[in-house]
């Protein structure tokens, strides 16, 4: 099997560096992002993300913003168009199923795409049936991205679907994602709509009246507040310090540490704590990635 016969598929909720998004063996399954009357298709394209954030994050409609995954029919078309006629093997790794129906829809779409792609592949001279599977990342945002960056390292090393699936199965239980929300009331609203209880009404009230920012941890599809800091800046610094401590104690299970931010990433890269983290990462051969959320 040649290296190019394998493709990794992720959804646009994966906060990947743009250089990785452009990798020829990676495909992004897009979704709709809706704020008020604005509806865009998010494919992790830099210009689209920057324009969307600039025009919508300050909008009065932003508190009602939400994402909507592709339908099963749209996914079948995407798998047939993007994968079936270009690769023999494909693996989809999707945002945690506790937050999104993407994974369950993708499983249904893959089952249909295996059948519908058979004749077009034969016509194109591809005699082997397409081999595609799906996995639940049980993570989101930058945690999901760290998993995928690990998997892309295997892809670059010429590994196929079995090796990549084995790595992901081991990685799921080792992935932690931490979030310092700038607007706890919005997080509470979204959590309520999804049936989550990761931020209590009391925490939202405290954050609003006392300028307290909770730090929320996500692990294996579940989330809960694990700390509270006075102000967003101190909460962000706590995340830098946590990552730095993991490096210095030799506890990282991946060389990739990811940060994503819903705003201008220059706001983060200019912070002294982030610059100090980069120095520590260099000493420990870790790669720190900072990307738009």
């Amino acid at each position: 099997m040649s290296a190019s016969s394998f493709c990794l598929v992720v959804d646009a909720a994966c906060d990947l560096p743009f250089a990785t998004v452009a990798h020829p063996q990676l495909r992004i399954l897009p979704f709709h992002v809706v704020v008020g009357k604005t509806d865009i298709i998010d494919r992790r394209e830099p210009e689209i993300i920057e324009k969307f954030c600039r025009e919508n994050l300050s909008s009065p409609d932003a508190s009602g913003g939400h994402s909507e995954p592709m339908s099963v029919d749209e996914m079948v078309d995407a798998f047939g168009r993007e994968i079936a006629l270009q690769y023999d093997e494909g693996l989809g790794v999707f945002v945690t199923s506790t937050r999104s129906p993407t994974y369950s829809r993708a499983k249904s779409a893959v089952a249909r795409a295996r059948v519908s792609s058979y004749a077009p592949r034969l016509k194109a001279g591809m005699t082997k049936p397409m081999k595609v599977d799906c996995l639940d990342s049980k993570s989101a945002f930058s945690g999901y991205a760290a998993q995928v960056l690990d998997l892309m390292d295997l892809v670059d090393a010429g590994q196929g679907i079995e090796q990549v699936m084995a790595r992901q199965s081991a990685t799921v239980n080792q992935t932690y994602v931490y979030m310092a929300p700038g607007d706890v009331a919005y997080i509470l609203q979204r959590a309520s709509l999804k049936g989550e209880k990761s931020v209590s009404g009391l925490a939202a009230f405290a954050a609003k009246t006392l300028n307290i920012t909770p730090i929320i941890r996500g692990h294996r599809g579940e989330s809960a507040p694990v700390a509270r800091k006075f102000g967003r800046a101190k909460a962000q610094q706590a995340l830098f310090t946590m990552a730095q401590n993991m490096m210095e104690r030799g506890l990282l299970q991946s060389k990739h540490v990811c940060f994503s931010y819903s705003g201008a990433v220059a706001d983060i890269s200019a912070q002294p704590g982030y610059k100090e983290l980069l120095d520590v990462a260099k000493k420990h051969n870790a790669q720190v990635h900072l990307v738009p959320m």
Side-chain angles (χ1 to χ4, degrees), residues 73-121:
D73 287 342
E74 288 176 314
M75 290 185 185
V76 171
D77 180 63
F79 278 113
R81 183 181 64 254
E82 297 286 345
I83 301 173
L85 298 181
Q86 300 181 51
Y87 304 94
D88 289 330
E89 297 182 348
L91 176 65
V93 179
F94 302 108
V95 67
T96 177
S97 58
T98 58
R99 293 187 60 86
S100 168
T102 301
Y103 170 65
S104 61
R105 293 183 188 181
K107 285 186 67 176
S108 298
V110 161
R112 286 173 48 186
R114 288 194 193 104
V115 177
S116 63
S117 67
Y118 186 70
R121 283 175 61 84

Side-chain angles (χ1 to χ4, degrees), residues 35-36 55-65:
V35 174
E55 295 179 355
N56 293 283
L57 288 185
S58 304
S59 164
D61 297 319
S63 61

Side-chain angles (χ1 to χ4, degrees), residues 6-7 36 50 80 123 135 139 145 147 159 161 164 178 205 233-234 245 257 276 292:
F6 174 76
C7 175
E50 290 169 6
K123 188 176 180 180
L135 295 175
S139 190
Q147 291 181 357
Q159 301 299 304
I161 189 169
V164 174
Y178 294 85
F205 176 78
K234 289 187 177 180
N245 288 341
V257 178
E276 182 179 342

Side-chain angles (χ1 to χ4, degrees), residues 60-286:
D61 297 319
S63 61
H66 65 280
S67 60
E68 176 60 35
M70 300 173 74
S71 68
V72 173
D73 287 342
E74 288 176 314
M75 290 185 185
V76 171
D77 180 63
F79 278 113
R81 183 181 64 254
E82 297 286 345
I83 301 173
L85 298 181
Q86 300 181 51
Y87 304 94
D88 289 330
E89 297 182 348
L91 176 65
V93 179
F94 302 108
V95 67
T96 177
S97 58
T98 58
R99 293 187 60 86
S100 168
T102 301
Y103 170 65
S104 61
R105 293 183 188 181
K107 285 186 67 176
S108 298
V110 161
R112 286 173 48 186
R114 288 194 193 104
V115 177
S116 63
S117 67
Y118 186 70
R121 283 175 61 84
L122 279 179
K123 188 176 180 180
M126 305 170 75
T127 57
K128 294 191 296 184
M130 179 177 66
K131 185 176 182 180
V132 187
D133 213 329
C134 294
L135 295 175
D136 182 351
S137 73
K138 296 186 180 180
S139 190
F141 310 122
S142 53
Y144 177 18
Q147 291 181 357
V148 172
L149 287 167
D150 259 356
L151 300 184
M152 292 308 297
D153 287 343
L154 292 181
V155 171
D156 285 336
Q159 301 299 304
I161 189 169
E162 288 83 7
Q163 293 88 351
V164 174
M165 288 184 71
R167 173 60 180 171
Q168 178 63 13
S169 296
T171 298
V172 163
N173 293 333
Q174 299 172 327
T175 304
Y176 291 81
V177 58
Y178 294 85
M179 179 169 61
D183 185 344
V184 182
Y186 174 73
I187 296 296
L188 179 65
Q189 175 191 356
R190 297 305 303 163
S192 175
L193 290 173
K194 294 175 181 291
E196 299 178 13
K197 303 186 187 303
S198 58
V199 184
S200 69
L202 178 60
F205 176 78
K208 184 176 181 180
T209 59
L210 301 177
N211 193 30
I212 293 176
T213 298
I215 294 177
I216 302 170
R217 181 182 68 193
H219 178 56
R220 298 185 66 181
E222 302 297 329
S223 56
V226 293
R228 291 180 175 84
K229 300 294 179 181
F230 285 98
R232 188 188 310 180
K234 289 187 177 180
Q236 292 171 349
Q237 178 59 51
L239 299 187
F240 301 147
T241 301
M242 185 188 306
Q244 183 174 324
N245 288 341
M246 293 296 104
M247 293 177 190
E248 292 176 334
R249 294 167 61 190
L251 296 177
L252 291 184
Q253 300 298 308
S254 167
K255 70 178 184 181
H256 299 287
V257 178
C258 301
F259 290 87
S260 56
Y261 180 64
S262 59
V265 294
D267 295 344
I268 302 300
S269 60
Q271 295 187 23
Y274 182 76
K275 294 178 180 179
E276 182 179 342
L277 174 63
L278 294 181
D279 292 336
V280 174
K282 188 174 182 180
K283 294 178 184 177
H284 294 275
N285 298 315

